[in-house]
Amino acid sequence: MAFQINTNIPSLQAQEYLRTNSDFQSKTINRVTSGLRIVSSGDDAAGLAIANGFRSDLAVLTQGVRNANDGISTLQIADGGINNISKLLDRARSLATQSASGTFSGDRSVLNSEFQSVISEIDRQAQSIGLDANGTFAKNLSVFIGGGRANNGITSTANGSVGVDLSRSLVDAKNLGLRGVQSVGTANTDIGAGSASTSVQQILANTTNTNSLVQQGYTDFYVSGPGFAGADKVKISVNLSGVTDTGTLVEAVNAAIEAAGTSGTQAATAFKNANIQATINTDAAGKKQLSFTSSNTSFQVQAGDRTSNALLGNFSTGSTGKDLAQTVTAGAVTTAGTGTTAQNIIVRIQGGGLASPVDLQVDAGATTAQALTTLSSLISNNAALQAAGISANGLSAVGGTITFNSARGEALNVSALGDEQNRLGLGSYLNATNSGIAFEYTSITAATAFAAATKTNTFDLSIGGGTNQTFSVSVLAADTIVSATQKVNDALANNTAARAAGIYATNDGTSITIQSSNGTAFRLNATTATGAEALGFGEAGAAAGASFASVAADATNVVYFNNGGGSAVSTSFIFNPIVNGQDSQTVTLSAVDAAGATQSLAVKLENNGTTRNARTIDEAIATINNKLQQTNNDTLNKIVAVKDYDGTNYKIRFQSTLTDFNVSVGAAGTGSAAGLGTAVQQGIVYSAEAVSGGSTADISTADLAAAAVLSLSDAVATLGRAQAVVGRGQNQLNYAVNLAQSQLSNVAAAESRIRDADLASEAANLSKAQILLQAGVAALAQANSAPQAVLTLLRG
């Protein structure tokens, strides 16, 4: 055994063990006194990080449970409000049922007064619980509770939230169908008995008004809506016999409405189901206007003559209604002519409310007088023209000028084909086949073979019924058919419209053919006098230089559209016909149904060899409305496209009783000015907005009360669906609270297992540390005294 003085190894070892035991005792005392296993990060850094994460989750879940409980309370308040509204509907149904009875002998105005107060109270309570239009809770409510995990591209925030969509659960009178659409006559006009010059009696006594009637004793209104728009708009023919004031006027109009809904057509059935009624609106100044109301359908009312225009408040002077007549006058060339027609003459009438162009054919071999007689008969016996109120004058004798008229004041245009001598004054465009089948064509071959000669050949080209495009081709005596064809192509290429339409020339070695590469329809006229052109397109006896593309109505008198207030409407889109075959435009309509699912429809507007459905604004409207109705979708069937007028241009707009819907108009290809909307509007999604105004369910008459009973039945069902959403939301939040409470317990237990100390174990460790510390102190004392033994050796 060695003895050292300078280095006391046992002492050093004892000191180290004493320090370790002291630290162990200190940590054990901290754990026992704090109750925590991890007092500092050094105790268990990884465990502390996990425990802190759990503690943060606990904080989120604790607040999330409060959020959910707040949400449940809010929904319970809404649920209670809906219960009250349900009771109000019960009272309203009782009042409506009482008023609808034919045996009721009391004063219906008393019933109606209480009925209106009930409707107002429904609105007040809906506003109080935040479930009216633009209400506090009329949206998709997201309640964050926590406890979610990111998975499959869904964030932890989204997984930790509960959504309650109340945006489709509005319970105000409008959304319950108790406040509907109302089309009111022109503001600040008065057709009441107190009016000095525009009362019903004065309007009907005005001979200028009554002379405009299509059928004496009957004035006509036209109504458009979902399923009865465009060419299918419903005519209300009102018997004026016995009409002396506003009261008898309303009775007569409602009788006409009832009769119009019984014709048996699909449009009449849709009109009947719209529940449109005539009433008298009294404004704040006490002035009275004729109005039309519906609780469930967006619609548009249009006058059909001067009398109905005056009754809608559209006056020119005094009690005289504004003139609606729209006239198209043929060109300066009169109907004088010699011989008989060499080709079939086709006269096309389009626009004017027609769903598609109407072509009238006068067979070849007719004298001018016979052509006039035939045309007159064709117009008079064409159902589409008669329904649109289109007629013609000047057909009774040779030498006059033909005029075409729209009694409803809608713009129309008239064109002709095959009239080689321009007998009708509508132009002398070439007939490609002389078959009378096609008004326009995509290909036309010269009537005679190419004959080289030094001549200048001039042509007019009408693309898609548009304005004349003039071009000329100078042929030399040295030209072959190949070089002449190239000259035609060069001339066409220099014409912007012809180039965009894909029109070019080819030949078969004998004759030249002009055609379109993309299905663009066109008409061609050789304006060079017969015998003075070399390309072979001239016609025997043809008149030179008489080729009108079409003759359009002026805009002196325009139709007046009374749109229903209370609807949701889109912006109004100007419309330019699609003429080029490669151009097309997709119009997309979308809306959210009662279940919250998005319903959409894409309508393709085009004008090519396959489909021609956008040549006029009327045809485009008919196309869109037909597609909407063909979906048989309850949501999309509520949207209608109608014609509107801004004082300068006719436009297309969409309207519906849906609270909101979207319209997207695509670009229209090379024809930047074609289709719906300007170039700026195309490619943008437009949301419909609510229009002010509208009507309220009414029980002042038995008929109105009967309609109100049906509306209230639907309102009860609508309210039930809204309450179901609220109830479902309460259940969702309760389920979420249950899960959050379970997560709270389990996360707290997990944190405890990591962070909390095992006091039984720590108590044993404390005893152990105390004993080791005491033993260490004693051992250190012995180790420190060991060098004293060296002195004994030195003393010896």
Side-chain angles (χ1 to χ4, degrees), residues 138-186:
K139 56 189 175 182
N140 190 351
L141 303 175
S142 180
V143 181
F144 183 68
I145 298 174
R149 293 290 181 267
N151 186 35
N152 293 330
I154 303 175
T155 65
S156 59
T157 300
N159 254 334
S161 301
V162 173
V164 182
D165 188 1
L166 299 179
S167 62
R168 317 299 300 182
S169 301
L170 311 186
V171 295
D172 58 329
K174 178 175 176 55
N175 285 281
L176 291 178
L178 301 178
R179 292 194 189 278
V181 178
Q182 184 177 35
S183 171
V184 183
T186 304

Coordinates of all heavy atoms in Angstrom, one line a residue, residues 138-186:
A138 N -75.9 34.7 -41.6 CA -76.4 34.2 -42.9 C -75.2 33.9 -43.8 O -75.0 34.5 -44.8 CB -77.3 35.2 -43.6
K139 N -74.4 33.0 -43.4 CA -73.1 32.7 -44.1 C -72.6 31.3 -43.6 O -73.3 30.6 -42.8 CB -72.1 33.7 -43.8 CG -71.8 33.9 -42.3 CD -70.9 35.1 -42.1 CE -70.7 35.4 -40.6 NZ -69.9 36.6 -40.4
N140 N -71.5 30.9 -44.1 CA -70.9 29.6 -43.7 C -70.1 29.9 -42.5 O -69.0 30.5 -42.6 CB -70.1 29.1 -44.9 CG -69.6 27.6 -44.6 OD1 -69.8 27.1 -43.5 ND2 -69.0 27.0 -45.6
L141 N -70.6 29.4 -41.3 CA -69.9 29.7 -40.1 C -68.9 28.6 -39.8 O -69.2 27.4 -39.9 CB -70.9 29.7 -38.9 CG -72.1 30.7 -39.0 CD1 -73.0 30.5 -37.9 CD2 -71.5 32.1 -39.1
S142 N -67.7 29.0 -39.5 CA -66.6 28.0 -39.2 C -66.2 28.1 -37.8 O -65.8 29.2 -37.3 CB -65.4 28.2 -40.1 OG -64.4 27.3 -39.8
V143 N -66.5 27.1 -37.0 CA -66.2 27.1 -35.5 C -64.9 26.3 -35.3 O -64.9 25.1 -35.5 CB -67.3 26.5 -34.7 CG1 -67.0 26.6 -33.2 CG2 -68.6 27.3 -35.0
F144 N -63.8 27.0 -34.9 CA -62.6 26.3 -34.7 C -62.5 25.7 -33.2 O -62.7 26.4 -32.3 CB -61.4 27.2 -34.8 CG -60.0 26.5 -34.7 CD1 -59.6 25.6 -35.6 CD2 -59.2 26.8 -33.6 CE1 -58.4 25.0 -35.5 CE2 -58.0 26.2 -33.5 CZ -57.6 25.2 -34.4
I145 N -62.3 24.4 -33.2 CA -62.3 23.7 -31.9 C -60.9 23.1 -31.6 O -60.5 23.1 -30.5 CB -63.3 22.5 -31.9 CG1 -64.7 23.1 -32.1 CG2 -63.3 21.7 -30.7 CD1 -65.8 22.1 -32.3
G146 N -60.2 22.7 -32.6 CA -58.8 22.2 -32.5 C -58.9 20.7 -32.4 O -59.9 20.0 -32.6
G147 N -57.7 20.1 -32.2 CA -57.6 18.7 -32.1 C -57.4 18.0 -33.5 O -57.4 16.8 -33.6
G148 N -57.4 18.8 -34.6 CA -57.3 18.2 -35.9 C -55.8 17.9 -36.3 O -54.9 18.4 -35.7
R149 N -55.7 17.1 -37.3 CA -54.3 16.8 -37.8 C -54.3 16.9 -39.3 O -55.3 16.6 -40.0 CB -54.0 15.3 -37.4 CG -53.8 15.1 -35.9 CD -52.5 15.7 -35.4 NE -52.3 15.5 -34.0 CZ -52.8 16.3 -33.0 NH1 -53.5 17.4 -33.3 NH2 -52.5 16.0 -31.7
A150 N -53.2 17.4 -39.8 CA -53.1 17.5 -41.3 C -53.0 16.1 -41.9 O -52.3 15.2 -41.4 CB -51.8 18.3 -41.6
N151 N -53.8 16.0 -43.0 CA -53.9 14.7 -43.6 C -54.4 14.8 -45.0 O -55.4 15.5 -45.3 CB -54.8 13.7 -42.8 CG -54.8 12.3 -43.3 OD1 -53.7 11.9 -43.8 ND2 -55.9 11.6 -43.3
N152 N -53.8 14.1 -46.0 CA -54.3 14.1 -47.4 C -54.6 15.5 -47.9 O -55.6 15.8 -48.6 CB -55.6 13.3 -47.5 CG -55.3 11.8 -47.2 OD1 -54.3 11.3 -47.5 ND2 -56.3 11.1 -46.7
G153 N -53.6 16.4 -47.7 CA -53.8 17.8 -48.2 C -54.7 18.7 -47.4 O -54.9 19.8 -47.8
I154 N -55.3 18.2 -46.3 CA -56.2 19.0 -45.5 C -55.4 19.5 -44.3 O -54.7 18.7 -43.6 CB -57.4 18.2 -45.0 CG1 -58.2 17.7 -46.3 CG2 -58.3 19.1 -44.2 CD1 -59.3 16.8 -45.9
T155 N -55.4 20.7 -44.0 CA -54.6 21.3 -42.9 C -55.2 20.9 -41.6 O -56.4 20.6 -41.5 CB -54.5 22.8 -43.1 OG1 -55.9 23.4 -42.9 CG2 -54.0 23.3 -44.4
S156 N -54.4 21.0 -40.6 CA -54.9 20.7 -39.2 C -55.9 21.7 -38.8 O -56.9 21.4 -38.0 CB -53.7 20.8 -38.2 OG -53.1 22.0 -38.2
T157 N -55.8 23.0 -39.3 CA -56.8 24.0 -38.9 C -58.2 23.6 -39.5 O -59.2 23.7 -38.9 CB -56.4 25.4 -39.5 OG1 -55.2 25.7 -38.9 CG2 -57.5 26.4 -39.2
A158 N -58.2 23.2 -40.8 CA -59.4 22.7 -41.4 C -60.0 21.5 -40.8 O -61.2 21.4 -40.5 CB -59.2 22.5 -42.9
N159 N -59.1 20.6 -40.4 CA -59.6 19.3 -39.7 C -60.1 19.6 -38.3 O -60.8 18.8 -37.7 CB -58.4 18.3 -39.7 CG -58.7 17.2 -40.7 OD1 -59.8 16.9 -41.0 ND2 -57.6 16.5 -41.1
G160 N -59.6 20.7 -37.7 CA -60.0 21.0 -36.4 C -61.2 22.0 -36.3 O -61.5 22.5 -35.2
S161 N -61.8 22.3 -37.5 CA -63.0 23.2 -37.5 C -64.2 22.5 -37.9 O -64.2 21.5 -38.6 CB -62.7 24.3 -38.5 OG -61.5 25.0 -38.2
V162 N -65.3 23.0 -37.4 CA -66.7 22.5 -37.7 C -67.4 23.6 -38.5 O -67.5 24.7 -38.0 CB -67.5 22.1 -36.5 CG1 -68.9 21.7 -36.9 CG2 -66.8 20.9 -35.8
G163 N -67.8 23.2 -39.7 CA -68.5 24.2 -40.6 C -70.1 24.0 -40.5 O -70.6 22.9 -40.6
V164 N -70.7 25.1 -40.3 CA -72.2 25.2 -40.2 C -72.6 26.2 -41.3 O -72.5 27.4 -41.0 CB -72.8 25.5 -38.8 CG1 -74.3 25.5 -38.9 CG2 -72.2 24.6 -37.8
D165 N -73.1 25.7 -42.4 CA -73.4 26.6 -43.5 C -74.9 27.1 -43.4 O -75.8 26.3 -43.7 CB -73.2 25.9 -44.8 CG -73.3 26.9 -46.0 OD1 -73.6 28.1 -45.8 OD2 -73.2 26.4 -47.2
L166 N -75.1 28.3 -43.0 CA -76.4 28.9 -42.9 C -76.7 29.9 -44.0 O -77.8 30.5 -44.0 CB -76.5 29.6 -41.5 CG -76.3 28.8 -40.2 CD1 -76.5 29.6 -39.0 CD2 -77.3 27.6 -40.2
S167 N -75.9 29.9 -45.0 CA -76.1 30.8 -46.1 C -77.3 30.5 -46.9 O -77.9 31.4 -47.6 CB -74.8 30.9 -47.0 OG -74.6 29.6 -47.6
R168 N -77.8 29.3 -46.9 CA -79.0 28.9 -47.6 C -80.2 28.7 -46.7 O -81.1 28.1 -47.0 CB -78.7 27.6 -48.4 CG -77.4 27.5 -49.2 CD -77.2 28.6 -50.2 NE -78.3 28.6 -51.2 CZ -78.3 29.5 -52.2 NH1 -77.4 30.4 -52.3 NH2 -79.2 29.4 -53.1
S169 N -80.0 29.1 -45.4 CA -81.1 28.9 -44.4 C -81.7 30.2 -43.9 O -81.9 30.3 -42.7 CB -80.4 28.1 -43.3 OG -79.9 26.8 -43.7
L170 N -81.9 31.1 -44.8 CA -82.5 32.4 -44.5 C -84.0 32.2 -44.3 O -84.6 31.5 -45.0 CB -82.2 33.4 -45.5 CG -80.7 33.5 -46.0 CD1 -80.5 34.7 -46.9 CD2 -79.8 33.6 -44.8
V171 N -84.5 32.9 -43.3 CA -85.9 32.7 -42.9 C -86.7 34.0 -42.9 O -87.7 34.1 -42.3 CB -86.0 32.0 -41.5 CG1 -85.5 30.6 -41.6 CG2 -85.3 32.8 -40.5
D172 N -86.2 35.0 -43.7 CA -87.0 36.2 -43.8 C -88.1 36.0 -44.8 O -88.1 34.9 -45.5 CB -86.1 37.4 -44.2 CG -85.4 37.2 -45.5 OD1 -85.0 36.0 -45.8 OD2 -85.1 38.1 -46.2
A173 N -89.0 36.9 -44.9 CA -90.2 36.7 -45.8 C -89.8 36.5 -47.2 O -90.4 35.6 -47.9 CB -91.2 37.9 -45.7
K174 N -88.8 37.2 -47.7 CA -88.5 37.0 -49.1 C -87.9 35.6 -49.4 O -88.3 35.0 -50.4 CB -87.4 38.0 -49.5 CG -86.9 37.9 -51.0 CD -86.0 39.0 -51.4 CE -85.4 38.8 -52.7 NZ -86.5 38.6 -53.8
N175 N -87.1 35.1 -48.5 CA -86.5 33.8 -48.7 C -87.5 32.7 -48.4 O -87.2 31.5 -48.9 CB -85.2 33.6 -47.9 CG -84.0 34.4 -48.5 OD1 -83.4 34.0 -49.4 ND2 -83.8 35.6 -47.9
L176 N -88.5 33.0 -47.7 CA -89.6 32.0 -47.5 C -90.6 32.0 -48.6 O -91.6 31.3 -48.6 CB -90.3 32.3 -46.2 CG -89.4 32.0 -44.9 CD1 -90.2 32.3 -43.7 CD2 -89.0 30.5 -44.9
G177 N -90.4 33.0 -49.6 CA -91.3 33.0 -50.7 C -92.5 33.9 -50.5 O -93.5 33.8 -51.2
L178 N -92.5 34.7 -49.4 CA -93.7 35.5 -49.1 C -93.6 36.9 -49.6 O -94.5 37.7 -49.6 CB -93.9 35.5 -47.6 CG -94.1 34.1 -47.0 CD1 -94.3 34.2 -45.5 CD2 -95.3 33.4 -47.6
R179 N -92.4 37.3 -50.0 CA -92.1 38.5 -50.7 C -91.6 38.2 -52.0 O -90.6 37.5 -52.1 CB -91.2 39.5 -49.9 CG -91.7 40.0 -48.6 CD -90.9 41.1 -48.1 NE -91.2 41.5 -46.8 CZ -92.2 42.3 -46.4 NH1 -93.0 42.8 -47.4 NH2 -92.5 42.6 -45.2
G180 N -92.3 38.5 -53.1 CA -91.9 38.1 -54.4 C -91.5 39.2 -55.3 O -91.0 40.2 -54.9
V181 N -91.7 39.0 -56.6 CA -91.3 39.9 -57.7 C -92.5 40.8 -58.0 O -93.7 40.3 -58.0 CB -90.9 39.1 -58.9 CG1 -90.5 40.0 -60.0 CG2 -89.7 38.2 -58.5
Q182 N -92.2 42.0 -58.3 CA -93.3 43.0 -58.7 C -92.8 43.9 -59.8 O -91.7 44.5 -59.7 CB -93.7 43.9 -57.5 CG -94.8 44.8 -57.8 CD -95.2 45.6 -56.6 OE1 -94.4 46.0 -55.7 NE2 -96.5 45.9 -56.5
S183 N -93.6 43.9 -60.9 CA -93.3 44.7 -62.0 C -94.3 45.9 -61.9 O -95.5 45.7 -62.0 CB -93.5 44.0 -63.3 OG -93.4 44.9 -64.4
V184 N -93.8 47.1 -61.7 CA -94.6 48.3 -61.5 C -94.5 49.2 -62.7 O -93.4 49.4 -63.3 CB -94.2 49.0 -60.2 CG1 -95.1 50.2 -59.9 CG2 -94.2 48.1 -59.0
G185 N -95.6 49.8 -63.0 CA -95.6 50.8 -64.1 C -94.6 51.9 -63.8 O -94.1 52.1 -62.7
T186 N -94.4 52.8 -64.8 CA -93.4 53.8 -64.7 C -93.6 54.7 -63.5 O -94.7 55.1 -63.2 CB -93.4 54.7 -66.0 OG1 -93.2 53.9 -67.1 CG2 -92.3 55.8 -65.9

